[in-house]
């Protein structure tokens, strides 16, 4: 149920002609209509002591009237900022510890006693009528606050119009602004078929159509035909014995969606401007009520649509309280787990998780709550009603209120097929790993023997030049075969190893170790190695990083100039990474070939000697596993610079 805010009621009452005020338990003003501001010549009355505004001679009598709590009218004087005295008649209406004051100005300053008693009585009667009208308006407003459906709310409003304006009839017509089709029609008071037809069939040709077009409230007198109506409407109006009319537009979001009107018979009084002003106020409040109730209807429809969506989803949708007890779950859970919804609601969520994963689930949940995480994804096995295992992938939303965890809402899906495939893949990788190491051992052992005997024979036998050349080919091919086996094993290990403990790595010892490994190549090619004075440290895994250095430096020696000059450098980048690089003095690499170098099993014949084509692809995998990347910069006839980046330590 939607209720008016205090600000709404305050605005509503300020538009009334009465002097209205609310007093707290200390008799200080907490709200008042604008009439008080004008009368007392004071801009801000909030917080003002009501006693300070009342003439001192009247305060004792006024206090007694307030203490009586009977709502009886009493005359008293108030004093403006400029010292003027104004006579008021008012009544006090208690509510809890507060009092509501309804007052009207009786006359100006009473400088003489020659007051017309008849005028006083007439003023008193008018005041009583105004008070009754205000009280009726207040009761109508209170009734609207309790309305939850549109039709009853509109009926309350139209009935209130009949009583407030003392009219024969009141109606509310709500229509679709686009199609002009009526969606709600409510009538209170006397009604006959002809008057109903005026509303239904000739609305747009009468005063109602004019109000919608002009967007203004209006009066229509009974004295003569209204030129804003067609002749047909005028005829129907006479047949229905409709005299005076008062109509005002109803707006929702600044768009006219209806008309509120009052009608009197031909023998009744004409409506006044005061009646129209009151009807306009009620029309404004009707728009507010309509907007709120339409919003409630939309919300209810949205909730129904959401419920249908959830119930017809293909995934488990659920909610749980702060203790992990399930408060809602959709029907999908029956298909996946075999449990009925009634068997799950109210149960601890972890009860359905396979026992060997419950502690892990609890620890992850507790850690997320302590860290005030709002989202959590996890995978774990559930036990079905038949005690089978079903793997679940779950997206969880964690909710907090005033800093305290209050519950969760989640979506879970069956990932059993994927998890089974992953387990099978892991087993296959383990089998391949065992197989590859067995094959490597079986290949490397005889290969080592072949290399050893070939080296011995080439040194001990008296061979011709051609025979020496053939032995060198055999040895070179054997060493190449061993390197290919080593690279394949390394490549296979990188396919499996994803979790490495990163730690700060001092790069100079890693580079020095690499150069020690490559001393034979350095001496063979008479290479010059240029090192920087300092190396910024990085986060990573030293054995893997050494493989990148070995590959880059080896390539720079083999494919550089003759003699090769290898320059090694490092620099801290603005993005928090450290870039390490190796530059050679070779012929450079064609631009169209550069993007192929880091691919697996790619060999560029014009640039590289024959090999497995795995070296640079291994460097790329290592760098990316460590949170970095690789690349190169090369210009023909100016050499190449190969770099890799790692997070700064």
């Amino acid at each position: 149920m939607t209720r008016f805010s205090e600000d709404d009621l305050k605005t509503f009452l300020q538009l009334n002609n009465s002097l209205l005020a609310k007093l707290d338990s200390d008799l200080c003003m907490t709200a008042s209509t604008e009439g008080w501001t004008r009368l007392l010549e004071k801009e801000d009355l909030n917080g003002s002591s009501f006693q300070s505004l009342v003439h001192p001679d009247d305060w004792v009598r006024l206090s007694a009237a307030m203490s009586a709590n009977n709502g009886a009218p009493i005359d008293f004087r108030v004093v403006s900022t400029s010292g003027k005295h104004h006579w008021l008649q008012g009544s006090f209406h208690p509510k809890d510890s507060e009092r509501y004051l309804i007052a009207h100005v009786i006359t100006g300053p009473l400088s003489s006693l020659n007051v017309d008693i008849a005028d006083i009585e007439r003023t008193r009667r008018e005041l009583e009528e105004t008070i009754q009208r205000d009280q009726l308006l207040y009761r109508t407003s209170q009734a609207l606050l309790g309305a939850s459906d549109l039709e009853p709310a509109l009926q309350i409003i139209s009935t209130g119009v009949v009583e407030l304006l003392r009219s024969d009839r009141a109606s509310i017509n709500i229509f679709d602004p686009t199609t002009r089709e009526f969606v709600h029609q409510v009538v209170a008071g006397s009604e006959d078929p002809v008057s109903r037809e005026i509303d239904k069939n000739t609305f747009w040709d009468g005063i109602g159509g004019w109000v919608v077009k002009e967007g203004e409230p209006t009066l229509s007198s009974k004295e003569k035909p209204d030129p804003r109506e067609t002749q047909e409407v005028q005829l129907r109006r006479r047949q229905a014995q409709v005299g005076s009319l008062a109509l005002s537009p109803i707006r929702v979001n600044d768009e006219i969606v209806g008309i509120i009107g009052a009608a009197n018979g031909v023998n009744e009084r004409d409506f006044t401007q005061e009646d129209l002003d009151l009807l306009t106020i009620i029309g404004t409040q009707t728009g507010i009520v309509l907007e709120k109730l339409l919003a409630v209807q939309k919300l209810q429809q949205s909730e129904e649509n959401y419920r249908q969506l959830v119930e017809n989803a293909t995934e488990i949708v659920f909610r749980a309280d702060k203790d992990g007890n399930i408060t809602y779950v959709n029907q999908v859970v029956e298909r996946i787990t075999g449990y009925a919804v009634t068997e799950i609601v109210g149960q601890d969520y972890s009860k359905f998780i396979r026992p060997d994963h419950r502690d892990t689930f609890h620890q992850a949940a507790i850690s997320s709550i302590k860290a005030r995480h709002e989202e959590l994804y996890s995978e774990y096995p559930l036990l079905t009603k038949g005690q089978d295992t079903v793997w679940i992938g779950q997206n969880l939303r964690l909710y907090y209120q005033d800093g305290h965890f209050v519950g969760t809402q989640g979506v879970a899906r069956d990932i059993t097929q994927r998890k089974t495939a992953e387990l099978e893949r892991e087993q296959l990788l383990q089998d391949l790993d065992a197989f590859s190491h067995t094959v490597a051992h079986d290949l490397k052992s005889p290969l080592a023997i072949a290399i050893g005997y070939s080296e011995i024979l080439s040194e001990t036998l008296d061979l011709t030049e051609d025979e020496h050349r053939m032995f060198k080919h055999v040895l070179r091919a054997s060493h190449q075969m061993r390197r290919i086996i080593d690279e394949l094993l390394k490549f296979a290990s990188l396919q499996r190893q994803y979790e490495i403990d990163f730690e700060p790595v001092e790069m100079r010892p890693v580079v020095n170790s690499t150069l020690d490994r490559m001393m034979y190549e350095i001496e063979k090619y008479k290479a010059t190695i240029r090192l920087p004075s300092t190396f910024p440290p990085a986060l990573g895994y030293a054995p893997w990083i050494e493989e990148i250095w070995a590959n880059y430096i080896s390539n720079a020696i083999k494919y550089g100039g003759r003699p090769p000059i290898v320059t090694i450098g490092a620099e801290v980048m603005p993005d928090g990474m450290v870039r390490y690089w190796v530059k050679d003095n070779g012929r450079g690499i064609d631009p169209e070939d550069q993007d192929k170098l880091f691919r697996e099993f790619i060999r560029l014949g014009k640039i590289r000697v024959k090999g497995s084509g795995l070296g640079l692809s291994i460097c790329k995998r290592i760098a990316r596993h460590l949170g970095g990347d690789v690349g190169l910069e090369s210009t023909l006839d100016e050499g190449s610079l190969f770099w890799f980046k790692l997070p700064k330590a």
Side-chain angles (χ1 to χ4, degrees):
M1 178 177 66
T2 304
R3 296 182 176 275
F4 290 122
S5 67
E6 184 175 344
D7 288 339
D8 290 335
L9 292 175
K10 183 177 179 181
T11 301
F12 183 64
L13 294 174
Q14 281 179 332
L15 296 173
N16 193 277
N17 293 328
S18 303
L19 294 172
L20 309 177
K22 184 170 73 171
L23 309 179
D24 61 18
S25 58
D26 297 323
L27 299 180
C28 292
M29 279 192 173
T30 58
S32 61
T33 53
E34 292 182 359
W36 285 102
T37 300
R38 293 191 297 270
L39 186 70
L40 299 175
E41 303 169 4
K42 188 175 181 180
E43 287 296 328
D44 187 10
L45 291 170
N46 282 345
S48 298
S49 168
F50 187 66
Q51 181 176 358
S52 67
L53 306 175
V54 176
H55 193 285
D57 294 342
D58 296 336
W59 179 249
V60 174
R61 183 168 50 85
L62 193 63
S63 297
M66 284 190 287
S67 299
N69 288 336
N70 57 13
I74 182 173
D75 298 342
F76 61 97
R77 287 168 292 176
V78 293
V79 183
S80 69
T81 302
S82 62
K84 295 180 181 178
H85 295 184
H86 301 278
W87 276 96
L88 307 181
Q89 183 180 70
S91 57
F92 293 84
H93 305 272
K95 182 180 179 182
D96 300 327
S97 62
E98 299 175 318
R99 289 180 173 82
Y100 291 82
L101 167 61
I102 304 175
H104 294 270
V105 177
I106 299 176
T107 181
L110 298 179
S111 57
S112 70
L113 297 178
N114 298 322
V115 180
D116 190 333
I117 300 301
D119 288 341
I120 294 177
E121 287 302 317
R122 182 173 60 255
T123 302
R124 185 183 297 277
R125 286 195 301 272
E126 291 175 354
L127 181 61
E128 289 176 351
E129 290 177 359
T130 302
I131 292 174
Q132 291 174 359
R133 176 180 291 187
D134 291 340
Q135 290 175 338
L136 179 57
L137 183 61
Y138 177 76
R139 289 199 300 272
T140 302
S141 300
Q142 288 296 106
L144 286 177
L145 291 176
S148 58
D149 296 322
L150 186 56
E151 289 287 345
L154 296 180
Q155 194 65 55
I156 291 172
I157 295 172
S158 57
T159 301
V161 170
V162 170
E163 297 183 21
L164 288 167
L165 271 61
R166 302 186 302 280
S167 63
D168 288 343
R169 177 171 171 268
S171 64
I172 298 176
N173 295 287
I174 307 298
F175 52 82
D176 185 324
T178 304
T179 64
R180 290 195 168 189
E181 291 290 331
F182 288 101
V183 292
H184 295 285
Q185 285 187 296
V186 176
V187 177
S190 63
E191 181 189 6
D192 58 76
V194 177
S195 62
R196 168 68 82 171
E197 289 301 310
I198 290 177
D199 277 344
K200 186 174 182 181
N201 295 331
T202 60
F203 177 88
W204 300 104
D205 297 328
I207 305 300
W210 183 92
V211 171
V212 173
K213 180 181 178 181
E214 300 298 326
E216 297 290 338
T218 190
L219 296 172
S220 180
S221 175
K222 66 181 180 179
E223 299 300 329
K224 57 182 180 179
D226 196 313
R228 295 173 292 183
E229 296 176 322
T230 64
Q231 291 184 353
E232 180 185 359
V233 175
Q234 292 176 3
L235 176 61
R236 287 178 175 270
R237 183 170 168 180
R238 288 195 297 272
Q239 292 173 342
Q241 297 289 299
V242 175
S244 179
L245 294 173
L247 298 98
S248 182
I250 298 172
R251 288 182 170 86
V252 172
N253 296 326
D254 295 327
E255 183 177 32
I256 296 177
V257 298
I259 296 292
I260 184 169
N264 272 336
V266 293
N267 298 321
E268 300 297 330
R269 69 181 182 90
D270 265 343
F271 291 111
T272 65
Q273 183 61 44
E274 184 180 0
D275 294 326
L276 185 62
D277 291 342
L278 182 57
L279 187 67
T280 300
I281 294 173
I282 298 174
T284 300
Q285 297 305 310
T286 302
I288 295 173
V289 171
L290 188 61
E291 180 181 357
K292 301 296 184 184
L293 293 180
L294 288 176
V296 170
Q297 288 182 354
K298 285 184 178 180
L299 179 61
Q300 291 172 342
Q301 184 59 47
S302 176
E303 289 176 345
E304 176 61 20
N305 292 341
Y306 177 74
R307 188 188 67 80
Q308 291 292 337
L309 179 65
V310 169
E311 290 300 330
N312 292 292
T314 59
E315 300 171 327
I316 299 174
V317 180
F318 65 93
R319 286 193 299 268
D321 61 22
K322 63 182 180 64
D323 298 317
N325 297 318
I326 297 174
T327 59
Y328 168 82
V329 66
N330 64 350
Q331 298 289 336
V332 181
V333 74
E334 296 186 20
R335 174 175 57 81
I336 295 178
T337 69
Y339 287 102
V341 170
T342 54
E343 295 177 288
I344 292 180
V345 172
Q347 298 293 322
D348 186 339
Y349 187 93
S350 63
K351 172 183 176 181
F352 303 96
I353 298 174
R354 205 169 67 189
D356 58 325
H357 280 72
R358 287 176 187 169
D359 287 344
T360 303
F361 173 80
H362 282 139
Q363 290 171 7
I366 292 171
S367 298
S368 295
I369 293 170
K370 286 183 177 179
R372 291 294 185 268
H373 291 163
E374 295 183 353
E375 295 180 352
L376 173 64
Y377 177 78
S378 55
E379 297 179 355
Y380 47 83
L382 293 181
L383 285 179
T384 68
K385 194 170 183 178
Q387 296 303 299
D388 295 322
T389 294
V390 174
W391 277 90
I392 291 295
Q394 173 183 278
N395 292 92
L396 205 60
R397 181 77 178 179
L398 288 74
Y399 293 95
Y400 304 87
Q401 186 174 352
D402 298 329
H404 300 287
F405 173 67
V406 295
T408 60
Q409 182 167 307
V411 176
R413 62 201 61 83
D414 185 348
I415 60 169
T416 304
Q417 188 174 1
R418 195 199 81 197
K419 292 295 290 188
T420 301
E422 288 178 355
L423 292 173
E424 291 176 351
R425 175 181 175 274
E426 183 61 30
Q427 184 61 48
L428 178 60
L429 288 174
Q430 291 177 6
D431 293 344
L432 285 174
D433 182 50
F435 176 74
S436 63
H437 279 82
T438 300
V439 170
H441 179 269
D442 291 345
L443 287 175
K444 289 175 73 174
S445 294
L447 189 60
I449 295 172
I451 292 173
Y453 280 120
S454 296
E455 289 176 345
I456 293 172
L457 290 174
S458 66
E459 293 175 359
T460 58
L461 293 179
D462 186 14
L463 302 175
T464 66
E465 185 176 345
D466 288 339
E467 289 172 337
H468 270 295
R469 187 168 56 253
M470 285 188 289
F471 265 109
K472 286 183 179 179
H473 282 308
V474 171
L475 286 171
R476 187 162 50 247
S478 299
H479 284 296
Q480 180 68 10
M481 176 72 76
R482 185 166 59 185
R483 283 196 297 272
I484 291 173
I485 293 172
D486 290 339
E487 287 184 349
L488 284 171
L489 286 173
K490 195 179 302 176
F491 186 76
S493 69
L494 284 173
Q495 298 278 39
R496 298 188 309 275
Q497 297 179 15
Y498 290 98
E499 294 188 8
I500 294 294
D501 292 331
F502 291 2
E503 57 185 6
V505 176
E506 292 295 336
M507 206 56 66
R508 185 171 293 279
V510 177
V511 173
N512 289 339
S513 175
T514 305
L515 295 176
D516 289 341
R517 286 172 51 186
M518 306 188 62
M519 191 55 63
Y520 174 77
E521 289 184 70
I522 294 172
E523 293 175 350
K524 176 181 177 180
Y525 290 97
K526 298 181 174 55
T528 299
I529 309 296
R530 296 175 177 172
L531 297 174
S533 58
T534 59
F535 280 100
L539 285 176
Y541 182 56
W544 283 9
I545 297 173
E546 184 172 326
E547 294 303 323
I548 300 179
W549 283 117
N551 197 286
Y552 279 10
I553 295 171
S554 176
N555 287 344
I557 293 173
K558 293 177 184 177
Y559 314 131
R562 290 295 176 263
I565 300 175
V566 180
T567 305
I568 298 173
E571 55 193 335
V572 178
M573 306 299 289
D575 59 359
M577 306 290 282
V578 182
R579 190 175 85 145
Y580 303 98
W581 48 267
V582 176
K583 187 178 185 307
D584 63 47
N585 61 336
R587 65 177 295 274
I589 303 170
D590 291 332
E592 61 268 21
D593 292 331
Q594 292 180 15
D595 63 340
K596 303 176 185 178
L597 282 178
F598 289 96
R599 298 181 188 175
E600 298 163 8
F601 304 105
I602 294 295
R603 292 181 296 178
L604 302 181
K606 295 180 182 179
I607 305 165
R608 304 181 59 182
V609 298
K610 293 181 180 179
S612 65
L614 287 172
L616 290 177
S617 66
I618 291 176
C619 294
K620 180 179 179 179
R621 284 186 174 273
I622 290 174
R624 291 192 172 177
H625 281 325
L626 297 178
D629 206 350
V630 297
L632 79 151
E633 301 166 7
S634 184
T635 304
L636 288 177
D637 300 323
E638 294 184 12
S640 301
L641 182 148
F642 285 80
W643 57 263
F644 66 96
K645 293 195 299 185
L646 295 174
K648 181 182 176 182

